[in-house]
Amino acid sequence: MELDPVIHAAARLRITATLATLPTGDRMSFPRLQELLDMTAGNLSTHLRKLEEAEYVEVTKTHQGRMPVTYLALSKRGRRAFEDYTDALRDLLGASE
Amino acid sequence: MTHSDDDTPLDPAEMLALLERQKRQVTLSYVRPVAWLYFVWGFAWLLGFVLLWLARVVDWLPLGVAGTAFGVLLIASIVTSAIVGTRIGRGVQGASNFQGAVYGISWSLSGAAFAAVGMGLIHNGLSPELASLYFPSAYALMAGIMYLAGAALWGERSQLVLGVLLLVVGSISPFFGSPANNLVMAVGGGGGFLVGGLYFVLFMRRGQRGGA
């Protein structure tokens, strides 16, 4: 079985898993996501770009007062991909036991 | 804890462990402040109601002092809750904002409603003796209902247990008469919050061990 290469990298798996904890319809700010992941801003941006290119993550840019804030959420496609990935992982491990 | 943030995929077992660890870390970030809140409220209820009880059984503590101390403890806990509550939800916006706002406002609205009923009763001749049975009960019932609503909103079992406990405490305490009803509130309500806080501390310990 082929594991989704977009998610099958440590950093992107952790990003996707964190965003998947949000209920549908909610978004998380970049700084909060960074804090929960304990990653550098540069590293997080790089991986988010890959997830955005695959259309797994939706980016909303807005302003809080005069400060620009970026909010992130899994797209419907991203949420499905994450569930499929988790299922595939469990299947693989179940089969190898 | 160190994380490999590069592109190299780990083997499936490691990836699954990484996934579970990350989910647990996110859960803990929500649970940690809730544990603190339970301790703050447990302390406020326990100390506040014990003071109200003491004021009626000893000479050296005037009721006014105990009442003021109770009020200060309550207001301090409310302020702590409001601050912690907004911190838990920081950096998240969207559909759940409405839920959170309605829930937050419901505390003040129902608190005011129950207080107004008490005022109305006093206005119509409710004795201080009976008022001292009504207010603690009304407060426990209100908090109980709010915790049940919280349990429903966030699928959180500890709030379900706490909500039911507060309903029980609120409805049985008047049967003990004044001032013993305050002791029921202190032990039942305050104790319930403290046990809730301990439960979360144990949950976090388990989480950390499991994640190591």
Side-chain angles (χ1 to χ4, degrees):
Chain A
M1 199 182 317
E2 191 64 37
L3 284 168
D4 188 339
V6 180
I7 299 180
H8 195 59
R12 291 196 294 277
L13 174 69
R14 293 180 59 233
I15 295 171
T16 325
T18 305
L19 289 177
T21 61
L22 288 178
T24 321
D26 277 8
R27 334 176 247 285
M28 189 180 278
S29 71
F30 186 94
R32 178 75 173 130
L33 184 61
Q34 194 190 339
E35 182 192 309
L36 285 172
L37 289 164
D38 197 16
M39 282 168 75
T40 64
N43 201 4
L44 179 55
S45 299
T46 311
H47 289 291
L48 278 174
R49 207 170 303 127
K50 285 185 189 157
L51 288 166
E52 198 188 347
E53 278 161 15
E55 290 174 26
Y56 284 4
V57 163
E58 279 164 357
V59 181
T60 317
K61 287 187 196 288
T62 157
H63 282 78
Q64 226 153 49
R66 305 185 74 175
M67 287 260 289
V69 201
T70 305
Y71 279 94
L72 305 138
L74 283 186
S75 63
K76 202 180 260 183
R77 186 189 162 111
R79 206 171 273 273
R80 202 172 301 141
F82 177 67
E83 278 163 18
D84 288 346
Y85 176 84
T86 315
D87 286 349
L89 216 52
R90 293 222 161 89
D91 280 353
L92 263 176
L93 291 168
S96 66
E97 267 165 23
Chain B
M1 194 165 20
T2 55
H3 301 298
S4 43
D5 282 338
D6 51 34
D7 255 324
T8 353
L10 307 162
D11 74 62
E14 280 177 287
M15 287 302 260
L16 192 63
L18 187 64
L19 185 149
E20 297 296 345
R21 201 155 60 220
Q22 184 60 29
K23 277 207 279 194
R24 204 152 37 219
Q25 207 162 319
V26 175
T27 310
L28 285 181
S29 79
Y30 295 116
V31 163
R32 216 170 283 132
V34 174
W36 276 110
L37 276 189
Y38 279 11
F39 284 126
V40 167
W41 279 105
F43 176 74
W45 277 55
L46 196 62
L47 186 62
F49 281 111
V50 163
L51 286 177
L52 285 180
W53 171 75
L54 263 184
R56 296 225 177 69
V57 293
V58 298
D59 294 331
W60 49 267
L61 184 65
L63 189 58
V65 174
T68 309
F70 181 77
V72 169
L73 282 168
L74 218 60
I75 290 167
S77 308
I78 291 170
V79 171
T80 313
S81 291
I83 295 171
V84 170
T86 41
R87 267 194 71 76
I88 292 176
R90 77 187 184 282
V92 173
Q93 61 156 225
S96 71
N97 283 18
F98 179 76
Q99 291 174 4
V102 170
Y103 181 78
I105 293 165
S106 299
W107 273 100
S108 334
L109 283 183
S110 35
F114 275 105
V117 172
M119 300 299 179
L121 291 175
I122 289 171
H123 187 69
N124 283 284
L126 184 75
S127 67
E129 177 90 350
L130 288 181
S132 72
L133 291 179
Y134 168 80
F135 282 101
S137 266
Y139 175 54
L141 295 181
M142 176 207 80
I145 293 166
M146 286 305 297
Y147 279 106
L148 290 181
L153 268 178
W154 294 291
E156 228 271 298
R157 276 154 209 263
S158 76
Q159 295 198 42
L160 177 66
V161 175
L162 205 53
V164 171
L165 175 72
L166 290 179
L167 285 186
V168 171
V169 168
S171 41
I172 66 163
S173 70
F175 290 96
F176 290 81
S178 180
N181 67 318
N182 291 303
L183 276 186
V184 177
M185 299 287 293
V187 175
F193 278 113
L194 293 179
V195 170
L198 273 179
Y199 164 79
F200 276 122
V201 167
L202 291 176
F203 174 85
M204 288 189 280
R205 286 252 172 87
R206 222 171 32 224
Q208 267 156 9
R209 247 207 322 269

